[in-house]
Amino acid sequence: MLSYALRRIAVVLITLLAASAIVFAVLEIVPGDPARLMLGMNAGEDAIAALREQMGLNQPLLIRYFSWLGGLLSGDFGRSYTYSVPVIDLVRERLVVSLPLALMALFLSTAIAIPVGIFSASRRGTASDAGVMAATQLGIAIPNFWFALLLVYVFAVTLRLVPAGGFPGWQAGFWPALASLLLPAIALALPQAAILSRVTRSALLDVMGEDYIRTARAKGLPANIVLWRHALRNALIPVLTILGLQFSFLLAGTIIIENVFYLPGLGRLVFQAITQRDLIVVESVVVLLVATVIIVNFLVDLAYAWADPRLRRR
Amino acid sequence: MIPIIRSILAGAAFALALTTSAFAARTDLTLAIQLEPPHLDPTAGAAGAIDDVTYANIFQGLTRIGSNGAVQPDLAESWTLSDDGLVYTFKLHDGVKFHDGTALDAGDVVFSLDRARADDSTNAQKALFAAIESVEAVDDLTVKVTLSHPQGSFLYNMGWGDAVIVAPESADTNKEKPVGTGPFKFDTWAKGSSVTLVKNPDYWGDPVALDKATFRFISDPAAATSALMAGDIQAFPAFPAPEAVAQFESDPRFSVVIGSTEGETILATNNGKPPFDNLKVRQAIAHAIDRQAIIDGAMFGFGTPIGSHFAPHNPAYEELVETYPYDPEMAKQLLAEAGYPDGFKATLKLPPPSYARRGGEIVAAQLREVGIDLEIIPVEWAQWLDQVFKAKDYDLTIVSHTEPNDIGIYARDDYYFDYHNQAFKDVMAKLDATANEDERYALLRQAQEIIAKDAVNGYLFQLPKIGIWDAKLQGLWHDMPLQADDLTGVSWKD
């Protein structure tokens, strides 16, 4: 067990190190000089050189890489070139938007998808199953930014129930902040729910074809108990895998939705940092996200073990 | 604990304000700008968004540029110029205080100008200060600036956002917490979301009508439209979605004001690279361009055609649109004369703004009509600056030059147009040394003609400023003589 844990940690560290090296190298190759971008078209070469010096861009590549890496290890993520504040502060400010948004969207999508998937599987081949399948197909096909615009038009512009976008900050109060995240969470959740309900349905149907289900039925258990006690739990593994992937996506892959609702989230921070060549922010946030994905995967693994006791012994 | 007390107090004050001013006009404003400023120090960055927030609101200079583009006194209440045109003596306003409570004196002016022109300066417009030889404080409120040669544009230069006066105590922290002398103080910056300014109660000049102004950052054109429609914001002074203007024009809740900017949108041409080094080829391109079609297609009809690198609202403007009128047959003939009867292939690099991406498609279609086959290459700004602007690795590109009065760039040898014309340089040198207004206008007209005739670039249109705001709001700038959202004259009608 211990050697397993150590192996696991070693793999995590190597993955992180590789990610840091790759993102650093890629950003070195991408054309664009942060100092020139900051000072614009009328700036003289001497001013640009002075700013490069100030930003520490004139140091050799390897020295910059290792000093950044050393900082990461001691918890110092460096200072943003453009904002000139510590990167960790920027990330923290964005996380208070992105994390609740991701959790809300995940909660909504799970709350919709699991019941819908079960319903659909238990009525396999009926008209209601076909109806649900058509609806989920539509949910996958509709681009979420278009759906977001539709939500804005109906609930913000016409009905004026919620703001059209922006985030007032949690200091503005719990409900105003939550209200501003509601439409984006719905827009994010619906396509995810569509995918998740299809996965739930097909996983359930797979399990329902297994021998032990037939055995359970044969010994006279009611269909309900068979479904809930025997089938569902075994069908959870693929559902958990998808959930883990979706959470990682929701945390950082929401740039478009964040743009539609002009939310100050993590996705927009990375996007802005890339266009402004705020390399240190991009590098640090990417490494953080890699770490998050690894941790989420680890938690999903733990959840497998919870769902399937046979996996605990491995 | 303290924040709680503060919010209770603020709440009480707010309630009090509500009861006492229930019938007074509104004093808060939420307006939007498209891009978030990287920081808030106008003396250390070129991003227009910095000036959007800070110019005239937080920071002030010796002079300032008014809504009509003219130079006005600001921190300097008056000045004199020596007979040889070399020594400006500025008299500063008495009783001006920075937001941190320190008084403004001549030493701060000396510090600011010396800092901007120092060797290690990171001022994005260092050229504005190039003519300064020395700056000295005569007494507490008098500053003497000595130039190395007479410079007609000096007072104008001192009105740029990059030339504002800062205090030595706060200069290093202005990026995060700007401390100026203006009628608004910096309050908070929610990164990625908004910057809030509040009224400066100790302001030395006429007090402003607004108590609080919040700048929100909304880059997506569709989001900008919904935010206005939903009433989340009350003004978008430089509205990014020309396609949505019609729906605001028909809505009585909004004022729509189409104004001008200093943005000459051009088809920039690499004059140093064959075949563009051939005047006939550049003339052919000029003849092949139908400006109105580009304005209609890319800007939904908003924009003024230009024939040279000069803003139409400028008093020295000369109408040169007809120098090379739209005439595809003439273009083909010129191409044949230049040795390209079957046209040629070239690239067109397009930066992200929609005027460039949309306009580029139309320009490419128009040039294809005369045989020039353009391959469109979309680039990011960082790439554009590196490849096109710095390395001159391009054939054609579309970009809007938004700096005011920037025709002088055509005299720069290292500039990315790669254009070299001694006659033009002579005109610019003469202009730099001329202070008389009529003579300056004559020289500027001459300069416009030279580059128009040389067809240095394809001159497309002047970028419009589409302003949309609540119909009850008054005092926002209609035009954009320089990048600014000056809120000093803004108020709500009762």
Side-chain angles (χ1 to χ4, degrees):
Chain A
M1 192 62 201
L2 188 67
S3 75
Y4 170 75
L6 284 177
R7 250 199 343 259
R8 204 67 223 197
I9 290 168
V11 168
V12 165
L13 287 179
I14 290 167
T15 314
L16 276 175
L17 196 68
S20 78
I22 290 171
V23 67
F24 201 90
V26 165
L27 285 175
E28 281 305 315
I29 297 166
V30 170
D33 173 356
R36 184 172 296 277
L37 197 65
M38 186 92 109
L39 294 183
M41 285 161 62
N42 269 15
E45 292 301 323
D46 53 343
I48 291 170
L51 187 61
R52 283 185 65 86
E53 188 64 44
Q54 238 181 52
M55 288 174 160
L57 284 169
N58 286 338
Q59 288 171 332
L61 176 68
L62 279 180
I63 294 196
R64 274 188 291 132
Y65 175 66
F66 283 110
S67 76
W68 170 65
L69 206 61
L72 281 188
L73 291 179
S74 58
D76 174 12
F77 287 77
R79 288 177 92 81
S80 156
Y81 290 155
T82 41
Y83 288 125
S84 53
V85 294
V87 175
I88 195 73
D89 290 355
L90 286 176
V91 172
R92 202 179 298 132
E93 283 168 11
R94 301 304 173 106
L95 268 182
V96 300
V97 182
S98 282
L99 201 60
L101 179 62
L103 290 174
M104 258 168 94
L106 198 70
F107 174 76
L108 277 175
S109 102
T110 319
I112 297 169
I114 306 281
V116 167
I118 295 172
F119 171 84
S120 196
S122 64
R123 281 169 183 69
R124 182 185 191 180
T126 64
S128 40
D129 179 31
V132 167
M133 281 302 99
T136 55
Q137 193 66 55
L138 197 68
I140 294 171
I142 289 177
N144 61 5
F145 70 88
W146 182 84
F147 184 60
L149 288 175
L150 202 70
L151 288 174
V152 168
Y153 185 74
V154 174
F155 293 101
V157 175
T158 311
L159 298 176
R160 295 208 173 198
L161 291 174
V162 285
F167 183 70
W170 293 102
Q171 70 274 11
F174 182 69
W175 289 115
L178 203 67
S180 68
L181 294 182
L182 198 61
L183 291 189
I186 294 174
L188 284 171
L190 225 66
Q192 308 286 355
I195 296 169
L196 199 61
S197 53
R198 290 178 81 91
V199 172
T200 309
R201 175 182 177 272
S202 67
L204 256 182
L205 289 179
D206 278 353
V207 172
M208 295 294 261
E210 297 280 340
D211 289 347
Y212 64 88
I213 297 289
R214 203 178 47 210
T215 312
R217 282 229 183 97
K219 72 181 183 189
L221 279 180
N224 262 348
I225 306 266
V226 172
L227 180 72
W228 290 97
R229 292 249 330 254
H230 295 270
L232 191 59
R233 199 153 175 190
N234 281 298
L236 272 180
I237 299 259
V239 174
L240 286 172
T241 312
I242 298 291
L243 267 180
L245 290 176
Q246 289 192 343
F247 183 73
S248 309
F249 164 79
L250 286 172
L251 202 55
T254 57
I255 296 170
I256 293 171
I257 289 294
E258 283 174 16
N259 254 328
V260 172
F261 292 99
Y262 47 103
L263 289 173
L266 212 51
R268 240 179 72 185
L269 176 68
V270 178
F271 181 70
Q272 228 171 10
I274 291 173
T275 53
Q276 292 174 339
R277 292 292 184 274
D278 196 346
L279 307 179
I280 197 112
V281 171
V282 184
E283 287 154 4
S284 302
V285 176
V286 168
V287 168
L288 264 181
L289 289 174
V290 170
T292 313
V293 170
I294 292 173
I295 291 167
V296 168
N297 282 348
F298 182 67
L299 291 178
V300 168
D301 279 357
L302 289 185
Y304 286 165
W306 165 79
D308 187 346
R310 281 169 303 177
L311 290 175
R312 278 175 227 172
R313 260 171 269 129
R314 270 186 222 163
Chain B
M1 193 61 202
I2 288 166
I4 295 173
I5 294 172
R6 196 188 295 152
S7 65
I8 292 171
L9 283 178
F14 183 64
L16 203 67
L18 273 185
T19 49
T20 55
S21 66
F23 296 101
R26 203 174 156 177
T27 57
D28 68 307
L29 172 67
T30 304
L31 70 166
I33 53 178
Q34 217 187 342
L35 297 176
E36 174 168 26
H39 57 75
L40 293 172
D41 181 357
T43 67
I50 302 173
D51 290 315
D52 277 332
V53 176
T54 63
Y55 190 79
N57 300 327
I58 296 179
F59 287 110
Q60 301 178 304
L62 288 173
T63 62
R64 59 163 297 176
I65 312 301
S67 59
N68 58 356
V71 179
Q72 298 169 356
D74 204 8
L75 289 175
E77 60 178 16
S78 64
W79 52 82
T80 56
L81 176 60
S82 65
D83 291 337
D84 58 4
L86 289 178
V87 182
Y88 280 95
T89 310
F90 292 97
K91 185 87 190 131
L92 302 180
H93 268 284
D94 198 2
V96 177
K97 277 195 167 64
F98 282 98
H99 299 152
D100 60 1
T102 57
L104 170 95
D105 62 20
D108 296 315
V109 177
V110 175
F111 168 78
S112 300
L113 297 185
D114 280 348
R115 172 173 172 262
R117 61 199 193 90
D119 284 340
D120 61 350
S121 156
T122 54
N123 195 298
Q125 312 287 347
K126 212 174 157 184
L128 294 177
F129 313 93
I132 298 178
E133 187 152 287
S134 69
V135 189
E136 52 189 301
V138 178
D139 59 46
D140 270 2
L141 294 175
T142 313
V143 181
K144 199 168 88 180
V145 179
T146 309
L147 306 182
S148 54
H149 59 84
Q151 189 181 41
S153 60
F154 182 71
L155 291 172
Y156 187 89
N157 291 354
M158 292 301 105
W160 280 54
D162 307 78
V164 295
I165 303 305
V166 297
E169 299 85 6
S170 46
D172 289 338
T173 50
N174 276 341
K175 283 185 172 177
E176 270 302 291
K177 190 181 181 310
V179 172
T181 53
F184 290 96
K185 290 196 292 187
F186 169 77
D187 183 46
T188 51
W189 183 358
K191 296 271 157 48
S193 182
S194 63
V195 169
T196 302
L197 313 183
V198 291
K199 187 179 194 163
N200 171 12
D202 304 320
Y203 182 53
W204 58 273
D206 298 330
V208 285
L210 296 176
D211 286 333
K212 185 176 156 192
T214 303
F215 289 84
R216 279 187 145 177
F217 320 127
I218 305 180
S219 59
D220 184 70
T225 308
S226 341
L228 275 166
M229 280 287 175
D232 292 358
I233 55 172
Q234 294 95 48
F236 213 131
F239 185 66
E243 60 273 21
V245 168
Q247 80 184 90
F248 289 101
E249 277 174 330
S250 60
D251 191 329
R253 290 181 292 157
F254 299 100
S255 298
V256 177
V257 177
I258 310 293
S260 62
T261 71
E262 289 291 327
E264 291 84 22
T265 312
I266 60 172
L267 175 68
T269 308
N270 192 344
N271 283 250
K273 187 176 172 187
F276 305 103
D277 55 348
N278 186 331
L279 176 62
K280 287 213 160 94
V281 170
R282 299 199 302 270
Q283 286 171 329
I285 293 174
H287 277 301
I289 289 171
D290 178 358
R291 297 182 179 88
Q292 198 56 48
I294 298 169
I295 293 170
D296 290 345
M299 300 299 298
F300 295 80
F302 301 104
T304 313
I306 52 170
S308 185
H309 196 104
F310 217 70
H313 55 82
N314 192 303
Y317 175 74
E318 187 170 342
E319 182 63 55
L320 291 162
V321 173
E322 289 300 309
T323 311
Y324 301 109
Y326 175 56
D327 185 349
E329 287 314 310
M330 178 68 108
K332 281 182 202 163
Q333 193 186 323
L334 281 163
L335 279 179
E337 284 172 30
Y340 300 96
D342 303 321
F344 56 85
K345 280 189 194 322
T347 60
L348 174 62
K349 289 193 171 165
L350 299 177
S354 61
Y355 67 74
R357 294 276 166 93
R358 288 179 189 159
E361 301 279 347
I362 302 169
V363 166
Q366 290 176 354
L367 293 191
R368 198 170 302 125
E369 290 296 306
V370 303
I372 302 173
D373 196 8
L374 293 184
E375 181 200 349
I376 290 178
I377 305 173
V379 292
E380 283 179 279
W381 272 125
Q383 265 174 304
W384 188 90
L385 280 170
D386 245 28
Q387 297 176 354
V388 177
F389 191 75
K390 186 181 171 214
K392 302 189 188 97
D393 174 19
Y394 78 109
D395 296 333
L396 297 166
T397 182
I398 293 180
V399 68
S400 206
H401 279 255
T402 51
E403 269 82 14
N405 296 318
D406 57 354
I407 196 168
I409 54 180
Y410 288 77
R412 286 207 216 157
D413 271 325
D414 55 349
Y415 214 63
Y416 76 109
F417 308 147
D418 214 356
Y419 171 68
H420 312 278
N421 181 339
Q422 196 51 47
F424 184 86
K425 284 180 201 162
D426 292 344
V427 171
M428 281 296 122
K430 227 186 277 176
L431 179 74
D432 200 27
T434 307
N436 178 292
E437 198 157 85
D438 290 335
E439 285 171 41
R440 286 181 63 84
Y441 287 179
L443 288 165
L444 282 169
R445 287 197 192 92
Q446 216 180 324
Q448 293 169 56
E449 279 166 31
I450 295 174
I451 56 169
K453 289 211 178 95
D454 269 351
V456 182
N457 296 311
Y459 299 103
L460 304 178
F461 58 90
Q462 196 72 17
L463 207 62
K465 172 183 173 304
I466 301 172
I468 299 182
W469 48 79
D470 193 303
K472 291 209 259 321
L473 200 64
Q474 57 191 4
L476 280 161
W477 282 13
H478 288 197
D479 300 319
M480 197 154 66
L482 83 171
Q483 191 102 28
D485 283 313
D486 178 357
L487 301 178
T488 54
V490 175
S491 63
W492 288 93
K493 284 182 248 180
D494 293 330

